[in-house]
Structure formats: structure tokens, C-alpha cells
Amino acid sequence: MTTSTPGRDFILTLDCPDRPGIVHAVTEFLVAHDANIVQCQQFDDRQNGRFFMRMHLESLNSAYGKDALIQGFGRTAEAYSMNWRLVDAAERTRTLILVSKYEHCLNDLLFRRRLGTLDIDVPLVVSNHPDAAGMAAAHGVEFRHIPVTPDGKEEAEAELLRLVDDLRIDLVVLARYMQILSPELCKSLEGRAINIHHSFLPSFKGAGPYGQAHARGVKLIGATAHYVTPDLDEGPIIEQDVARVDHSMDPARLAAIGRDVESQVLARAVRWHCASRVLLNHGRTVVFG
Amino acid sequence: MTTSTPGRDFILTLDCPDRPGIVHAVTEFLVAHDANIVQCQQFDDRQNGRFFMRMHLESLNSAYGKDALIQGFGRTAEAYSMNWRLVDAAERTRTLILVSKYEHCLNDLLFRRRLGTLDIDVPLVVSNHPDAAGMAAAHGVEFRHIPVTPDGKEEAEAELLRLVDDLRIDLVVLARYMQILSPELCKSLEGRAINIHHSFLPSFKGAGPYGQAHARGVKLIGATAHYVTPDLDEGPIIEQDVARVDHSMDPARLAAIGRDVESQVLARAVRWHCASRVLLNHGRTVVFG
Amino acid sequence: MTTSTPGRDFILTLDCPDRPGIVHAVTEFLVAHDANIVQCQQFDDRQNGRFFMRMHLESLNSAYGKDALIQGFGRTAEAYSMNWRLVDAAERTRTLILVSKYEHCLNDLLFRRRLGTLDIDVPLVVSNHPDAAGMAAAHGVEFRHIPVTPDGKEEAEAELLRLVDDLRIDLVVLARYMQILSPELCKSLEGRAINIHHSFLPSFKGAGPYGQAHARGVKLIGATAHYVTPDLDEGPIIEQDVARVDHSMDPARLAAIGRDVESQVLARAVRWHCASRVLLNHGRTVVFG
Amino acid sequence: MTTSTPGRDFILTLDCPDRPGIVHAVTEFLVAHDANIVQCQQFDDRQNGRFFMRMHLESLNSAYGKDALIQGFGRTAEAYSMNWRLVDAAERTRTLILVSKYEHCLNDLLFRRRLGTLDIDVPLVVSNHPDAAGMAAAHGVEFRHIPVTPDGKEEAEAELLRLVDDLRIDLVVLARYMQILSPELCKSLEGRAINIHHSFLPSFKGAGPYGQAHARGVKLIGATAHYVTPDLDEGPIIEQDVARVDHSMDPARLAAIGRDVESQVLARAVRWHCASRVLLNHGRTVVFG
């Protein structure tokens, strides 16, 4: 949690084929642009020969703002065929939250945003039910009720996508949104949509995981935050956690305990994503926590 | 951990259809036999209308030893159609440990036995490999190498079962025994064989769970101790636990971290089983921890 | 989480000198009053020779309501010199929440109340700052701002005590109330006031625990929920938990992580207290979780 | 856990006043010596303006061995007034283990060494009691019994120090060694002696922490691995962990549960120290886990 100044602190993330000299080339660029390293994390995936890096840098020379740095880094990036991104560390992620009837994750996210421990702007909360309108209002956030009827689903998704574009949304969070998105929508949101699944994946995929967990008699229940992909519950996992349960607890109790885990896991995943700490690596994630 | 005196401390476990008066009937029996309750745990499975109880009682009258109490309780047990057991709390469980090449669970169990935190006698360690002979010797425990060849499996299992009978074994522990037992052997050991599976079941059943976990990119790995049943990895779960992992760890590192979880989970499961703290409830367990 | 019906489900808690026959005497009473045991937990403190029990019972005979049961149990209680209590399991605990400027625990408690996972009524939220008024309003809860000035403290406490009486408050929760209560107030609230301390007691008593934790370089930070007693941070501990931290985190980050632990620990402590699951035992607690 | 080749894989650790260009200077050196970065971790302590780094590098040019690299890096190190160290990543740490009567940590360390998950050589185990001789023998490790009598302490410490020198010991591990070392000995072992304390420091310093924990009624017990310093239990903390306990457990049970935590915490601390992952920072540690 290093405080960031707009136009002065930047986050550079990149991944590229591993080979000698990468870090040297990047620091070369830093020196040439009067930039200093605040924090740097690296991961060398030797199995796939790919290198990942996240660098928090501060510009010591006002002449080099975001655009100058982006332009300046282009040559280096090309030389090493990097997949990269440079963002202002103080920029807040424009986040659209999707919710159904369970509001615990929504409440948690909106409260952290208010506390300032989650660097997100929330231009809109969307739900297929009207229930969450009150909570959105209490947090001073716009709310839109978009019902999803059996044969109105396509239309609903179209409206959703329209909102994502109109509001320049960076991230869509499915905070217990109990609707299955179409493969098309998943595709178009790939890499910028996070879902919380209320089980420790790959255990108990699909519906009613707490009921499944109770039936199987597990001694721990969990939650999993992952990027949304067309194949359900198979997206890259960002974060997971568990809580201990016992034989005396019925599915309702498991669900109550699970809500805490879901809220925490989702909040961590969103925080890391918004801080550019999550990089994709062949269906898995590199998390520079 | 209440110390127990032979012939004075007893554990009574029972389960029966739930109805009023059960505890009263049991305490009636206690009063009539000058016995006192040291510890009592109960669980009322309202879903299935079944009642479970574990009672640690002490006999205040030497006239009432184990046999007298067992005989005396018969009538009560019958009246409530109880499935029950009364054992001397100081009796040590005669345990046969099965192991292959990984010795961490074996080392852990034998060391806890030596410390006295695990109330087991280990008349024999059996392995399909000779490797563990040294460790058994170091702990002063008999070791038998029973190779399992593709077409010698039946014979090997027959010998194993013979040993279980000859040595009056109460519990068989599969401490990373990398052989699949035949349905027949599983049946004949039902309720008295505990296996440690190196994953958080039902995730990653079958072989190579750490490789599967790495491929899926989970953020926690786990282990599961369960009773052995004919259908593999589906037996009633006694205990589970997890450890945190990250993207930088290869399958070998996951396995190394997992070994600690496996040892601890198996040790807890064995300890609870040997203290009559685990009751079966339709494919699940009631654990009076 | 067994659902309770008013006038039918009751919780009996008791502690008394240990001796044979206690449970039998209690079940005698149950049989005589057509009551059934739903759940029963016991603890025999052999060190101090004291017996503790919590029993969830259901009355199968409408003739025996709360008053009848209380009257009926009197004789048994006297015979065993029990310290006891019998309450309607469906009764909600009237809770007054004290808060200063940090609202995370308040938000957490009020949200759980709304979810129905916390069986409390909150007639009033009191703060020495006006900040929390909005959140109370959002949850439809009364808010009272009682400033505490250096020489107005006595008066403020008097008003607080008056509110506790007028509103028939059962429990006072100090949800990060940054004021030290006078010994007199602590005394008069003994056993019915819970405080959340933002450290793993007995580590880092007093002010600025996260700063202390950072200075000491601990690898885990924690929170402790305890009953309020005249000697600060020394009250009987109800619940504790921790979260992992590392060298890269400054005190502000520790505090942010700590907030989650504080909220969860306090919520569990309040839930257990309100379910009569916490009994006092010489400066320590027996928690029938 | 990246496998290392002798003479090819090296670990460079350094700390120095923070200023721009450090990483660039280091990578300059790497490029000039045909070395590649396998892993790099950094920490910028903005509060104290100090920079810490651990780099796992591989030499791609056999002309540059350990000595050449050390000599080559000297100039860079000087220019940035670095406190630094470069070691062969495959070198095993020569470790002397001190133990008294509790053998669980000793057993754990020796077993991990055998598994190869702990890169240590153990030329000698020393104890003030003869008890551990058998376990050392079972692991094929030398054992020396050095009694510590009230007035023979000085002599015993002298012998210990002699052994440390004669055996070229890199690290001394106090694996539940129940003797207080003299300030002189602590001084001369500073930075190369790790102790496991059986409590979650700073809670319950000194003797009988489990008794203290039971008396206070805490709900979690812990263990702390720290560097030995003249002021007892105040050394820089390397690692800590906890386990959940409850009211039903007596001090003996707490100690039994604690043993597992102690073993794991100590093993992690030793592993990190031996992998040059622990750097000192004003009485605290930077752990590049």
C-alpha cells in the first residue's frame, strides 16, 4: 500500500519470452527517463520459458508523463516482444458490479471502496432483481434493474454490454450474480470480468455448492475468485480461501459461513486486479500480491 | 487429553433413532452403576432423525468393570435400538501401517506414538517396497516387505488380511500406500482402515493430485483423511486441511508443502479414530473433536 | 444454526460444583416436563472441579412455557447449587453498539443483523463522534451522538448508563469505541459488554497496536474479542483470530488487513454470546461454539 | 524450489541506501559477466530509505565462477555502499543443532534434511541431556552431550563455541534448547543462530508459555522463530504461526498441539535462512519467501 501521486507513479506490467538482458533493458529505459523503481516483482516460468514482471516506478522528471513513458518504452517492448501495459498508479478502476439477491459481496465491495482500501470507482450496479437498489442508494451508487427472462436474455446481455461501453467500464465484477453469461459475452469481457464462485474449485462446480459440500461431508468449505471464461467455473483462478466446518452444520449454516469467505476472497481478487498485480499465464494467473 | 485409568475410565459411543429420553436412560444406567460423566458430546441429526453420542465415563465402583458395564447397558441399548460400543479408555489401538516409498506420514505417526500423543500400538509396518525398513527399525517396530506384482496382487492382499487377523489389528492406516486395494479387501476392512489422500477431496481424485493442482493453478493445496471404501476417494471424510501456495511453485514444491499437511491431517484422523471420536453417518462422519 | 420457535425452544445454561448425577437430575426434570434435548454441550473443568453445560431443549407440551420451566427447574438448580439461566431460544438480544470513527465493525454487525445471521435487535448506536450517523440511518437504526469531553466524561457515561436502562439493553458492544470506560461503568456492565481489541492479546495492549506490531516486526496480526472488565485489555477472551502480514506492509496496511479480522472476530463473539454459548470460568471463558 | 547447479547458480543478497540506478547497476554487472536472472525480489523500505534485494542468478559463462563474480561485483557494491553477500546456490549450510529433552523439532529438521527439502548438513547435534543420542544415531548424525551445571555454564559455552569454529558451522539452531545463552555467546553468534520460542511473541515471553496461555485463556497458541540476541525473546522475528485451541484443553494438550506449530515454524525459518531469503533490517527481518 504505497500511496501514489497522479502523473508521477506508474505501474508497468509485462510478460515476454525469457532471455538474458530483459531487466537490464527495462532499467536502461528507466535511467534514460529519470524514473526510479519503487517496487519490482518478477517471475520466471521456466516450464514455459516465459518471464513476468510488475514494476511500480516513479517519474522524477515531470517532462516524462504517462504518454512519454509509453512512447519511450515501445522500442524496448518490441525488441523483447513484450506483452505489456503501463498505467498511472493513481488511476481508479471503473468497475461495474453485477449482483442478484445476495448482497454480502456488494456490501463488502462498496464499503471497502468507501474506506479507500479498494481503488475503484463504481459508476453502476446492475442486478436481475430490484432488491439491491436500497444498498446501492445508501452508498450513493447508481443502480439499474435489468431483468433476465428466459427469452429476453440476449437483449439483457446486449444492454449490459452497451452500459460497459458507454460508461467506459474497465472491470465487471460478478458479486454473486446468479446468471450464466453467454459464451459471446464471456468472450467480449475476457480478462476484465471477475466472478466469485462459492466453492473451493474445482470442487463442487455448478449450482448449490454448499448443498454438495454438506452431502459430501467435507470439513472445509471455500470460495474461488476467477476470471470469467466461456467454459463455466474453469477460468483462471485469482484467489481462494476456506473456512472450517463440522458435522453439526446444515447447508444454510455452511452458506452463512461461506459468505464471509466469498466476500474476502472476492475483495482480495478485485484489489489485486485493480493494482495490476494479476497477470495471465496459460489459463493460470501470476499474482504479485 | 484427559488421562485415563485402565478398568476405571471407559468410552461409550452410540447412535440410534432420535426420540425423547435417550440421555435420561443412559444417565439412569450410570447412576445405577456408580459411574460418573467425565465428558459427553452429542449430535442430533434432525435431517435424518438420528442421535449420536460419545461419553467418557468413570466407574466409581470397582465392582463394575468393562464386562459388567457392557452387560448392564445391553437392556438400555436394546430399548432404544442403539448401535453402540463401550471400550476401556486406556486401551491402545493395535495399528498396522501400510506405506510405499514416501515415509513422511510413517515418520510422523511413529514419532507421535513415541511421544505418547497417539495412543496406538504398532505391531507391524507393511510396505510394497523395502525402503521403509530402516525407519521402522529405528523406531523398534517390525517391518514386513510384501511386494505387489501385477499378477501377485491377490496373494499379497491375502497375506495382508492374514496378518490383520493374526495380529488382532484394530486399525489399518494407509500412510501414502500407493496401491489400490481390491473392493473385497476394502469391504473386509470397512470402518477400520484410514487412507490419506494428497488432495482436498473431492478436488483432484486419483493419481498425481499435485500435478493436477499445479495445472489448474489453485491457490491452496490440501489433504484428506477418509475411511477406505470400495469406491476410491469417496469414503467418509474424517479430516481435511490446506496450505497456501502460489504461481512460483512447481509440482515438486507443492508436494513438499503438501507432505506437512498430509502428516498433520492423517495424525489428527488417527488420533480421533483411536479415541472413539469418529462415528459414521450415511457416508459422512460425526467427529467429536 | 437450528431454527427456534418462540415458547417452544429454550436454552438452559448452568455451571456448578462437579459431582455425579447432575446430568441425570437435569434429564429427570426434562422428562417430568415433556421436554426433549435438541443439543447439549458439557465441559468438566477437572482442575477447578466445576461443571458447565449448555442445553438447547424443546418443550413438547404447551403447558410448560418459559415461566413453568424456570419455576420447575428451581429445585434441581438449588440441589446442585447451580449458577443457571433459562431463556427463550428465539428471543433476540437487545444490543447497544458503541462506535467512534471506524465504522467497519458497525457496518459488519448491522449487515449481519439484516441478513439474519446475528440474532440481535439494535435499538440504538451511540458514538462520541457524529460520523456514523449516516450508516446507522442507512440501516434504519437510531443514532445518538454523545461527545466525551475531558471533563464531561462522567456525565457522558451517566447518560450512556441511563440509555442502557431505559432501552432494556442486554448487551453493549464496543465496536472500536476509542474511549476508556471508567471502572465504575465497567463494573456495572460486567458480563454484558464486549470489546474488540485490535491486537492478538496479550500482545500489544493499549494504544496503537498496529504501530507496535509493525515496530516489532511480527508476521501475524490479530484481534481479540473480550468481555469488558475494570482492568483494561485483561477481560475474559471470547474469540481471537489472526492474519498473515509481511515486511512490505506499513502500519496503515496492517490496520487495513486487521479490520477484516476485527469484524469477523467481533461478529463471532457477539453471535456466541447472544446464543448463550459463552460461560464465564474464573477470568476465562467456556465457549460452546 | 529451483534446482541449483554448483558453480553455475548463485544467490546475491544486498541492502544499501535507496537511490535511483541500483538495479540498473546490478544488471550492468550481470550483462558484463554473462549472467542471467533466475529470480529477483526487492523491497524498498521507504520509511528508512533503505533498499533490499535478493537475486538468484545463473552464470552462462564458465569463465565467471564464484570468485570472479565476487571480485567483479566489488566495484558496484562499493559505489552504492552495499552490504552484500554472494554465495553458491548449491552450497549446503553447515548447521549445528542444540536440543534438550524435547525432540520433536530435532526429528523434524533431521527428517527434512533426509528428504532433501532442507539444504543443510548437520555435522553435530549437541544437547545438555543424553536423551537425543538415539535419534541422532538413527539419522546417522554425530551427537555430543555437553552437560550444563550451575557453575559449569561458562565452560560448556566455551566448548560449544570451539565446536562451532572447528566444524566451520554456518548456523546454530536452538531446537527447543532449554538453556539461556550468555550475552557473550549470543553476541558471537549474532545473525547465525535461530531459536524457536513456544509462544506467539511478544505474548508469553520467558518460561512456561503454554501454562501462561492456558491461564490467560487465549483461543490461539503460537510459535515464533527468531534470531538469537542478547536480550531474550526480543530478537528479529523470522516466522510465526498459530493453532486454534479451546477451553477444554489443559496445558499439556496445548503443548502437544504447539509442538506441531513449533516444528513447522522452525523448519520454515531455517529453510529461508539457508536460502539467503532472510535479511536484517533494524531489529526486524525482510523475508523474501
Side-chain angles (χ1 to χ4, degrees), chain B residues 130-167:
Chain B
D131 313 47
M135 176 172 291
H139 284 272
V141 174
E142 283 264 344
F143 176 85
R144 181 81 59 99
H145 175 209
I146 303 182
V148 179
T149 59
D151 53 355
K153 180 168 182 153
E154 206 167 317
E155 190 187 313
E157 290 197 344
E159 182 176 357
L160 189 63
L161 214 42
R162 223 173 9 250
L163 288 164
V164 168
D165 295 338
D166 296 351
L167 299 170

Side-chain angles (χ1 to χ4, degrees), chain A residues 103 114 253 260 264 271, chain C residues 103 114 253 264 271:
Chain A
E103 302 178 14
R114 223 180 77 185
R253 182 83 198 108
D260 287 342
Q264 304 242 343
R271 190 165 61 79
Chain C
E103 301 177 16
R114 222 179 79 186
R253 182 83 198 106
Q264 306 242 344
R271 189 164 61 77

Side-chain angles (χ1 to χ4, degrees), chain A residues 174-244:
Chain A
L174 285 69
R176 297 301 308 277
Y177 181 62
M178 312 305 280
Q179 289 289 317
I180 295 170
L181 306 185
S182 68
E184 298 66 38
L185 185 55
C186 292
K187 265 249 149 303
S188 61
L189 293 179
E190 202 139 36
R192 50 182 185 143
I194 296 175
N195 178 52
I196 181 73
H197 182 75
H198 43 312
S199 92
F200 181 77
L201 289 175
S203 293
F204 311 129
K205 301 176 185 177
Y210 292 122
Q212 294 182 55
H214 183 263
R216 181 61 183 95
V218 292
K219 301 305 184 183
L220 297 168
I221 56 168
T224 304
H226 62 88
Y227 284 112
V228 172
T229 54
D231 47 5
L232 200 59
D233 301 337
E234 294 294 346
I237 294 170
I238 304 170
E239 171 65 338
Q240 302 184 289
D241 212 338
V242 295
R244 189 159 281 276

Side-chain angles (χ1 to χ4, degrees), chain B residues 1-70:
Chain B
M1 210 157 77
T2 41
T3 51
S4 302
T5 318
R8 192 171 149 299
D9 286 72
F10 301 94
I11 306 295
L12 170 67
T13 50
L14 62 87
D15 61 279
C16 62
D18 187 28
R19 56 179 251 211
I22 300 171
V23 179
H24 186 61
V26 173
T27 53
E28 193 90 54
F29 155 79
L30 295 180
V31 170
H33 293 73
D34 296 348
N36 186 24
I37 301 175
V38 176
Q39 191 188 24
C40 181
Q41 292 154 294
Q42 312 175 9
F43 169 55
D44 183 355
D45 181 347
R46 291 182 133 182
Q47 194 180 18
N48 302 304
R50 199 152 185 88
F51 177 81
F52 299 80
M53 187 167 89
R54 176 190 187 269
M55 188 180 274
H56 177 175
L57 54 96
E58 60 184 338
S59 167
L60 306 176
N61 179 341
S62 58
Y64 298 116
K66 184 176 170 186
D67 299 342
L69 292 171
I70 287 178

Side-chain angles (χ1 to χ4, degrees), chain B residues 264-279:
Chain B
Q264 305 242 344
V265 166
L266 180 58
R268 286 200 290 265
V270 170
R271 189 163 62 78
W272 290 334
H273 173 92
C274 295
S276 306
R277 295 183 176 280
V278 190
L279 281 68

